[in-house]
Amino acid sequence: VFPPNTYIQSFNTTAECPPLPDIDTSASSPYSLLFQHAFSSSSIIESLSFFLLQLLSSLSSSLSGGAVNDYVCGGGEVQNVWAANPQVMEALHIPSNAIFFTADNGDGMIYNLTEKNLMPFYVNVAKNYPDVRVLVYNGDTDPGINSFIAQNWTVSMGLTEKEEWRPWTLDGCLRMGGYVTQYDGDFSFLTIRGSGHMVPQYKPEAAFEFIGKFIQNDAWQSYDPSCTTPPSSSSKR
């Protein structure tokens, strides 16, 4: 039994963000006026970033606290307002008659399944294409597509394990990011601790760390139980 005012999300078991009230997007609303003020900046990127941050801040009074996943509540609602703004659409060269929407399980979309099982494809990539690196990642609090299913799928490929399951960190010390297993053929499976389905949304700092390491082909930082000061902090002294 969940306590009163508990909000359960199908993509994140630890989310604490309640539903937000409807956002007034009329020309005279505070949000529209805020957007107009944001565009006084000379940089379009700075303007859009300012608007998003300020809008999230203005919505915070209607929220019952933040979330345990290191993100600010209300991002989805703000995204919809931002994407529908004519100035944003013009800046991103989006046709004025385009409609932005978020889809769940392809609702409203036509998807024809052409491959029932992609496992042989990935096995072929791992074994025969040494220049192609593959990373499968999963938030470990995503109940919709949970990490155990993704882990079992990866193990079932039958690739030789090159580095056994181990923790990875954001600082090479104690700040946990999740766990990773690496296989021959530059094929890796990585989990993000405390993240739901949309990892960059729920764990932005951890996402930046593990994706950056993957792009740069660097090793994910290890966990050191005897560490007291992160190596990066020591090097700055």
Side-chain angles (χ1 to χ4, degrees):
V1 177
F2 293 98
N5 300 319
T6 298
Y7 301 92
I8 306 301
Q9 291 190 10
S10 60
F11 285 144
N12 191 359
T13 56
T14 59
E16 294 182 340
C17 292
L20 289 179
D22 292 336
I23 300 175
D24 180 9
T25 58
S26 62
S28 60
S29 73
Y31 305 116
S32 293
L33 295 175
L34 179 61
F35 194 91
Q36 294 170 23
H37 172 70
F39 267 85
S40 61
S41 171
S42 57
S43 167
I44 182 68
I45 300 300
E46 290 179 2
S47 297
L48 299 180
S49 300
F50 174 82
F51 170 70
L52 285 171
L53 290 173
Q54 293 299 314
L55 182 51
L56 279 170
S57 176
S58 66
L59 287 170
S60 63
S61 61
S62 63
L63 303 172
S64 58
V68 299
N69 298 103
D70 309 335
Y71 69 99
V72 179
C73 292
E77 288 79 1
V78 170
Q79 176 184 246
N80 293 335
V81 174
W82 175 78
N85 190 285
Q87 291 172 286
V88 172
M89 298 176 72
E90 180 181 358
L92 300 179
H93 307 289
I94 298 173
S96 60
N97 60 346
I99 299 175
F100 175 83
F101 68 98
T102 55
D104 183 12
N105 295 325
D107 184 27
M109 305 170 71
I110 298 175
Y111 181 77
N112 296 315
L113 187 66
T114 57
E115 295 291 335
K116 294 183 178 180
N117 181 11
L118 279 173
M119 193 177 292
F121 169 81
Y122 283 105
V123 171
N124 182 47
V125 169
K127 291 185 175 182
N128 300 312
Y129 294 85
D131 294 333
V132 178
R133 294 180 294 116
V134 178
L135 170 64
V136 177
Y137 67 88
N138 216 117
D140 67 8
T141 63
D142 176 7
I145 304 176
N146 70 72
S147 58
F148 296 111
I149 292 176
Q151 184 177 27
N152 289 341
W153 183 90
T154 307
V155 171
S156 298
M157 292 177 60
L159 298 175
T160 302
E161 192 175 281
K162 184 170 63 176
E163 183 182 40
E164 66 180 6
W165 185 79
R166 69 163 177 87
W168 67 274
T169 67
L170 279 73
D171 59 0
C173 188
L174 302 174
R175 193 175 176 200
M176 279 291 295
Y179 294 87
V180 61
T181 305
Q182 295 183 279
Y183 299 89
D184 280 347
D186 267 337
F187 197 103
S188 303
F189 173 72
L190 179 144
T191 63
I192 300 87
R193 188 176 186 181
S195 175
H197 189 68
M198 287 73 74
V199 176
Q201 174 183 348
Y202 296 127
K203 282 288 185 179
E205 192 171 356
F208 183 80
E209 171 68 18
F210 85 79
I211 292 176
K213 286 289 191 292
F214 178 71
I215 291 174
Q216 297 164 15
N217 200 15
D218 289 339
W220 290 288
Q221 299 184 84
S222 299
Y223 174 82
D224 183 358
S226 63
C227 175
T228 56
T229 304
S232 56
S233 299
S234 302
S235 63
K236 293 178 181 179
R237 291 180 180 177

